[in-house]
Amino acid sequence: DIQMTQSPSSMSASLGDRVTITCQASQDIGNNLIWFQQKPGKSPRPMIYYATNLANGVPSRFSGSRSGSDYSLTISSLESEDMADYHCLQYKQYPLTFGSGTKLEIK
Amino acid sequence: EVQILETGGGLVKPGGSLRLSCATSGFNFNDYFMNWVRQAPGKGLEWVAQIRNKNYNYATYYAESLEGRVTISRDDSKSSVYLQVSSLRAEDTAIYYCTRGRSFDYWGQGVMVTVSS
């Protein structure tokens, strides 16, 4: 199975900060990765498709990137509405696997 | 408007079974793969199962942790997908989400399954 190691598990940042969350894949997944945002009590919402493509309606302060087996979700300037859990998902190979999630809090 | 609605959750005794349903509307169901994803209380997301569409012979795939206890199925005439889970354990307690496609672009609100005596 492909393991997705997500870090950090939690973090606290100030409004306006640049925030980066990372998932490392244990095997090659190409760009077959989705980033989700999940607010408390809500269903997940896809933010980034195919590692780097912004989903419809997602603010441009969000971006996705890849460096080898490391995939990153970056928020360029943190806003209060970005407080949420973030999850990555690889869909290159079955079984599909999620990262363990990152809880993002606002200082 | 795409709509996804899960039903069938509830309290089940250990060893019991449950069938979850996911009714959809607002898109051509026949064109899409469908998935179940679950989330235990306070935990991360776990992919459970996927069923492909007719073009892919309705192929099914499962998480290894559940294989043998879970069956995903679909009824294209009803635009619905189902998840049958048997031999339920306490660790199966979770919100179960139904989600559309290879891109997981639309999600239902989820249905709670609690396994407890």
Side-chain angles (χ1 to χ4, degrees):
Chain A
D1 298 4
I2 296 176
Q3 309 302 318
M4 301 301 296
T5 302
Q6 187 169 344
S7 61
S9 56
S10 65
M11 66 180 299
S12 181
S14 299
L15 298 179
D17 281 356
R18 183 181 182 88
V19 168
T20 297
I21 297 166
T22 299
C23 277
Q24 183 178 67
S26 63
Q27 299 175 38
D28 176 48
I29 61 169
N31 278 1
N32 296 294
L33 182 120
I34 304 172
W35 286 101
F36 297 92
Q37 177 192 67
Q38 186 180 25
K39 294 187 176 180
K42 300 294 188 183
S43 303
R45 169 195 180 189
M47 304 295 280
I48 302 285
Y49 288 109
Y50 207 57
T52 61
N53 297 330
L54 209 62
N56 285 343
V58 173
S60 59
R61 64 181 180 275
F62 288 88
S63 63
S65 62
R66 173 191 175 187
S67 176
S69 62
D70 292 334
Y71 299 80
S72 297
L73 172 71
T74 298
I75 307 170
S76 60
S77 181
L78 191 65
E79 298 194 8
S80 56
E81 65 186 33
D82 301 334
M83 183 184 74
D85 293 337
Y86 292 85
H87 311 269
C88 65
L89 168 71
Q90 71 78 20
Y91 58 96
K92 170 69 173 178
Q93 182 183 109
Y94 296 104
L96 310 187
T97 44
F98 283 92
S100 54
T102 295
K103 186 176 193 66
L104 175 58
E105 296 176 321
I106 310 296
K107 279 183 188 174
Chain B
E1 180 192 4
V2 172
Q3 295 192 342
I4 297 176
L5 180 65
E6 305 95 335
T7 57
L11 177 62
V12 186
K13 288 183 167 41
S17 62
L18 203 61
R19 187 191 195 216
L20 304 179
S21 298
C22 169
T24 75
S25 61
F27 63 99
N28 189 353
F29 183 80
N30 296 4
D31 289 343
Y32 287 86
F33 297 5
M34 295 297 295
N35 306 277
W36 287 94
V37 173
R38 71 180 182 179
Q39 186 169 37
K43 302 296 185 183
L45 299 172
E46 179 184 20
W47 173 77
V48 172
Q50 182 183 87
I51 186 165
R52 294 188 170 189
N53 61 9
K54 185 177 180 180
N55 290 347
Y56 292 84
N57 295 316
Y58 302 117
T60 58
Y61 301 88
Y62 298 101
E64 291 176 2
S65 61
L66 286 146
E67 199 148 16
R69 298 194 297 121
V70 64
T71 303
I72 188 172
S73 59
R74 62 190 290 161
D75 184 338
D76 289 353
S77 70
K78 295 182 179 179
S79 298
S80 293
V81 61
Y82 308 96
L83 188 73
Q84 179 80 34
V85 189
S86 60
S87 302
L88 281 158
R89 310 163 181 167
E91 53 265 38
D92 295 318
T93 294
I95 297 172
Y96 286 73
Y97 294 101
C98 177
T99 168
R100 186 181 85 161
R102 282 181 264 203
S103 55
F104 293 74
D105 55 358
Y106 285 91
W107 294 60
Q109 84 292 342
V111 63
M112 185 71 205
V113 173
T114 302
V115 183
S116 174
S117 54

